[in-house]
Amino acid sequence: MCGRFVVAEVGSELVGVLRVDVEGDDLPAASFNVAPTDAVAVVLDSAKTDPPTRRLERARWGLVPSWAKDPKIGARAFNARSEELEDKPMFRGALAKRRAIVPTSGYYEWKNVDGAKTPHYIHPADDGPLFMAGLYEWWRDPAKADDDPAKWLLSFTILTRDAIGHLGSIHDRMPVFMDPDHADAWLDTSTDNVRDVLDAAIDAAPAVAETLADHVVSKAVGNVRNNAPGLILPEE
């Protein structure tokens, strides 16, 4: 499970290795306590150009499918179990054609011991970027005029799988971490081998997980109103 994460850098500083062609004009600022329904930047390949254009775009966390009556449904769809994607209408279409990468600095997970929950910050040991596999959707707001810039909402979800190694001692689920070497295959809008692409991403995630470090942080991270660099520091 991934219910909070950190984006300490923005723009090209965070996604340089993914070879982004275009960065959106309204990218969100850095955040040390990203929660569902917050906006962050995601990477996707736009099939509207030939060849596709790799874009870094502002998106809301929590997938809102095109058929939704309103965006409220997205608050419950911030994670998607990778083993169930093909069975759920909310995610099936996005898996086929709308795959994204969510660039982060790390994420928070709560370890439950005898009913007491302790927050951990999980991040690359070298403090580099941590990429997560995601899906995205565009939702059209029927209440807004066609020329309204807010007519279309871009939203996303983060894929999860069974946790392994030391991460499994913190929580039984972890994000599907994305190795940059797999990024092109994951983002490719033309592939017909969706099952193979998904399986490859799931199978590659443990190698990234083994490189991650973690430490206990302040319980202040549990309050979404708290958002400062100090949240990721080890608890004293």
Side-chain angles (χ1 to χ4, degrees):
M1 179 177 179
C2 175
R4 300 282 180 80
F5 63 90
V6 174
V7 181
E9 304 285 352
V10 295
S12 56
E13 294 179 345
L14 188 63
V15 299
V17 298
L18 297 184
R19 304 188 310 279
V20 168
D21 299 310
V22 178
E23 294 185 15
D25 295 328
D26 58 345
L27 298 181
S31 175
F32 291 85
N33 200 0
V34 180
T37 73
D38 286 349
V40 297
V42 301
V43 177
L44 55 89
D45 277 4
S46 173
K48 293 182 178 180
T49 60
D50 186 16
T53 302
R54 184 155 299 173
R55 307 184 66 91
L56 183 66
E57 296 286 358
R58 181 188 186 96
R60 191 174 103 158
W61 189 17
L63 194 78
V64 181
S66 60
W67 43 261
K69 293 182 179 179
D70 61 61
K72 293 179 182 178
I73 191 173
R76 303 192 305 272
F78 56 92
N79 284 167
R81 297 175 71 92
S82 56
E83 61 270 33
E84 299 177 354
L85 298 178
E86 294 176 306
D87 299 326
K88 294 196 172 183
M90 174 174 282
F91 304 123
R92 191 184 303 132
L95 175 63
K97 293 294 182 182
R98 292 176 292 280
R99 297 180 296 277
I101 293 177
V102 185
T104 77
S105 302
Y107 71 105
Y108 300 107
E109 195 57 84
W110 278 257
K111 183 175 183 177
N112 190 336
V113 178
D114 297 330
K117 294 184 177 181
T118 302
H120 289 242
Y121 178 54
I122 302 168
H123 61 99
D126 64 0
D127 290 326
L130 178 61
F131 302 123
M132 301 177 184
L135 306 176
Y136 74 91
E137 285 281 12
W138 286 100
W139 179 76
R140 179 178 178 273
D141 188 342
K144 290 183 169 58
D146 289 342
D147 59 353
D148 188 330
K151 180 73 172 179
W152 291 93
L153 172 68
L154 177 61
S155 64
F156 71 96
T157 189
I158 293 173
L159 306 191
T160 67
R161 54 152 287 160
D162 290 337
I164 59 98
H166 72 287
L167 297 188
S169 69
I170 300 173
H171 197 276
D172 62 350
R173 304 289 293 181
M174 70 180 190
V176 175
F177 305 116
M178 178 64 57
D179 187 311
D181 290 339
H182 292 81
D184 289 345
W186 179 252
L187 296 175
D188 186 358
T189 60
S190 64
T191 183
D192 293 325
N193 300 315
V194 176
R195 183 72 247 179
D196 291 344
V197 171
L198 176 60
D199 286 343
I202 295 171
D203 292 344
V208 178
E210 290 172 357
T211 69
L212 303 181
D214 75 272
H215 56 259
V216 174
V217 295
S218 169
K219 292 183 179 180
V221 72
N223 187 333
V224 297
R225 289 175 290 186
N226 294 327
N227 196 328
L231 290 178
I232 67 174
L233 297 179
E235 176 78 327
E236 297 180 356

